[in-house]
Amino acid sequence: MAMATLAQHQHSPDDTIHGHGLRMTGQRRAVYDVLMGERNHPTAVEVFTKVRGQVPNISLATVYNCLETLTDCGLVKIVTHERGPSRYCPNLEDHAHFFCDSCGEVSDLPLRARKRPQDVWEVPENITISHHQVAFRGECPKCAKKKNLKSEARNLKSK
Amino acid sequence: MAMATLAQHQHSPDDTIHGHGLRMTGQRRAVYDVLMGERNHPTAVEVFTKVRGQVPNISLATVYNCLETLTDCGLVKIVTHERGPSRYCPNLEDHAHFFCDSCGEVSDLPLRARKRPQDVWEVPENITISHHQVAFRGECPKCAKKKNLKSEARNLKSK
DNA sequence: AACTTAAATAGGAATTGTTCTTGATAAGGG
DNA sequence: CCCTTATCAAGAACAATTCCTATTTAAGTT
């Protein structure tokens, strides 16, 4: 019984794709596995080079197609940031993204419990909201630490 | 005395640009005026066609250059949304954007008083945030109303 | 006013990321 | 096994933006 309940909510990616009348092909699985493996928000080209290890003669266009079907089926989210290339994210929880300006790393920031974006921005009542995309930019802890070490070194030298 | 206080905080765009060691040229002024006139978040191409009315042989590259200098000087904000072309916004207040999926209209949503994005998303303490960009998608009131009228018409017909 | 120097511009070429097209391949259902 | 449709690889096409270069313009100096 517990299983039946689980099965309803926890579809395998195969089931989800089949539910959309499509097939789980080798290429699609490989692309999905790369995303699930590295949760680094890779670009299409990064997925492409990674996935070539598994499917040596997959084409970039196919990677784009796979990423599109996966997003259409709701298995993957597409993340855009300023003018850069799109990135892909298999985290289906509601979350924002943080982009480090110095190292380029992207990380997920979860939504706080019982909070909604509308609590912070004035959204008129008669507007229907279907999606939101939230991006923060700044400096990640690693880069901040590096910078501090450098300036310490400078101070020692100048003595 | 009041004037001196004002002058400190309320620079003219010319002063701001001069403060960056640059000049307020005819092209830059025309681009800035278009943005201040239509507050529709136009794309570079839309600015280009509009600005040609004032400066008939300005080039698209120059419009891009002007938009870049204006944003570098902090007079204009650049707004990106999914894979679409960048849009430009002279509203310097902290605000989010709403994109209507059916008519494409873009509107500003002000930040609520004494609220911060960090109130809604969990941002680790040791991350430094310099910018945030927030986009909502959905249906604007006008489009919702149109849709309702249409479905009413359908209902009448089917009787 | 002429001279000097650096900034700004127009026009077009080049680049980047993505989508489209086409013919070949493969897979599931009858 | 055949038929139909989905999928794929490869490369062409495309859209938005940036880069390049020769020319023009403006500001500050004599």
Side-chain angles (χ1 to χ4, degrees), chain A residues 120-124, chain B residues 91 93-97 108-113:
Chain A
V120 172
W121 288 276
E122 280 178 38
V123 180
Chain B
N91 177 359
E93 301 294 314
D94 196 340
H95 65 282
H97 289 107
D108 291 351
L109 305 180
L111 193 73
R112 291 184 191 277

Side-chain angles (χ1 to χ4, degrees), chain A residues 11-79:
Chain A
H11 289 294
S12 71
D14 297 54
D15 291 345
T16 310
I17 284 191
H18 292 151
H20 285 251
L22 302 169
R23 308 179 200 141
M24 176 57 97
T25 64
Q27 288 87 337
R28 284 177 184 157
R29 173 170 304 289
V31 166
Y32 184 67
D33 287 350
V34 165
L35 289 178
M36 289 299 277
E38 340 241 331
R39 281 148 162 285
N40 283 331
H41 306 85
T43 64
V45 172
E46 284 164 358
V47 172
F48 174 60
T49 52
K50 205 55 119 193
V51 94
R52 284 226 139 184
Q54 311 300 315
V55 188
N57 52 356
I58 194 173
S59 80
L60 180 56
T62 299
V63 170
Y64 272 107
N65 283 336
C66 292
L67 290 168
E68 191 182 10
T69 36
L70 290 172
T71 48
D72 287 351
C73 294
L75 290 168
V76 162
K77 280 184 176 172
I78 184 165
V79 183

Side-chain angles (χ1 to χ4, degrees), chain B residues 36-96:
Chain B
M36 289 299 277
E38 340 241 330
R39 278 148 163 284
N40 282 334
H41 306 82
T43 64
V45 172
E46 284 164 358
V47 171
F48 175 60
T49 52
K50 204 58 121 193
V51 93
R52 283 225 141 182
Q54 311 299 316
V55 188
N57 53 358
I58 194 173
S59 79
L60 179 56
T62 299
V63 170
Y64 273 106
N65 282 336
C66 291
L67 290 168
E68 191 183 11
T69 32
L70 290 172
T71 48
D72 287 351
C73 294
L75 289 167
V76 162
K77 280 183 179 174
I78 185 165
V79 183
T80 56
H81 181 57
E82 317 214 326
R83 281 285 98 212
S86 298
R87 299 175 168 275
Y88 298 85
C89 170
N91 177 359
L92 300 181
E93 301 294 314
D94 196 340
H95 65 282

Side-chain angles (χ1 to χ4, degrees), chain B residues 1-155:
Chain B
M1 228 160 66
M3 276 199 54
T5 318
L6 268 177
Q8 281 186 345
H9 298 282
Q10 197 171 293
H11 289 295
S12 71
D14 297 54
D15 291 346
T16 309
I17 285 191
H18 291 152
H20 285 251
L22 303 170
R23 308 178 200 142
M24 178 56 99
T25 65
Q27 288 88 336
R28 284 176 184 160
R29 172 170 305 289
V31 166
Y32 184 67
D33 287 350
V34 164
L35 288 178
M36 289 299 277
E38 340 241 330
R39 278 148 163 284
N40 282 334
H41 306 82
T43 64
V45 172
E46 284 164 358
V47 171
F48 175 60
T49 52
K50 204 58 121 193
V51 93
R52 283 225 141 182
Q54 311 299 316
V55 188
N57 53 358
I58 194 173
S59 79
L60 179 56
T62 299
V63 170
Y64 273 106
N65 282 336
C66 291
L67 290 168
E68 191 183 11
T69 32
L70 290 172
T71 48
D72 287 351
C73 294
L75 289 167
V76 162
K77 280 183 179 174
I78 185 165
V79 183
T80 56
H81 181 57
E82 317 214 326
R83 281 285 98 212
S86 298
R87 299 175 168 275
Y88 298 85
C89 170
N91 177 359
L92 300 181
E93 301 294 314
D94 196 340
H95 65 282
H97 289 107
F98 171 77
F99 299 83
C100 176
D101 279 329
S102 38
C103 70
E105 195 190 78
V106 185
S107 50
D108 291 351
L109 305 180
L111 193 73
R112 291 184 191 277
R114 287 177 303 284
K115 294 282 184 181
R116 302 168 319 146
Q118 292 92 321
D119 300 335
V120 173
W121 288 276
E122 279 178 38
V123 180
E125 288 296 329
N126 46 6
I127 279 184
T128 323
I129 292 197
S130 60
H131 294 279
H132 59 253
Q133 180 162 283
V134 180
F136 294 91
R137 272 179 45 199
E139 197 173 45
C140 76
K142 271 185 253 168
C143 291
K145 191 170 275 179
K146 265 185 214 162
K147 211 192 264 173
N148 281 343
L149 284 176
K150 271 190 194 168
S151 71
E152 273 177 38
R154 257 200 312 280
N155 287 345

Side-chain angles (χ1 to χ4, degrees), chain A residues 23-152:
Chain A
R23 308 179 200 141
M24 176 57 97
T25 64
Q27 288 87 337
R28 284 177 184 157
R29 173 170 304 289
V31 166
Y32 184 67
D33 287 350
V34 165
L35 289 178
M36 289 299 277
E38 340 241 331
R39 281 148 162 285
N40 283 331
H41 306 85
T43 64
V45 172
E46 284 164 358
V47 172
F48 174 60
T49 52
K50 205 55 119 193
V51 94
R52 284 226 139 184
Q54 311 300 315
V55 188
N57 52 356
I58 194 173
S59 80
L60 180 56
T62 299
V63 170
Y64 272 107
N65 283 336
C66 292
L67 290 168
E68 191 182 10
T69 36
L70 290 172
T71 48
D72 287 351
C73 294
L75 290 168
V76 162
K77 280 184 176 172
I78 184 165
V79 183
T80 56
H81 181 58
E82 315 213 327
R83 282 285 99 210
S86 298
R87 298 175 167 275
Y88 299 85
C89 171
N91 177 0
L92 300 180
E93 301 295 313
D94 195 341
H95 65 282
H97 288 106
F98 171 76
F99 299 83
C100 177
D101 280 329
S102 37
C103 70
E105 195 190 79
V106 185
S107 49
D108 291 351
L109 305 180
L111 193 74
R112 290 183 190 278
R114 287 177 302 284
K115 294 282 183 180
R116 302 168 317 146
Q118 292 92 320
D119 300 334
V120 172
W121 288 276
E122 280 178 38
V123 180
E125 289 295 329
N126 45 5
I127 279 184
T128 323
I129 292 198
S130 60
H131 292 280
H132 59 253
Q133 180 162 284
V134 180
F136 294 91
R137 273 179 43 196
E139 197 172 46
C140 75
K142 271 185 252 167
C143 291
K145 191 171 275 181
K146 264 186 213 161
K147 211 193 263 173
N148 281 343
L149 285 175
K150 270 191 193 166
S151 71
E152 271 177 38

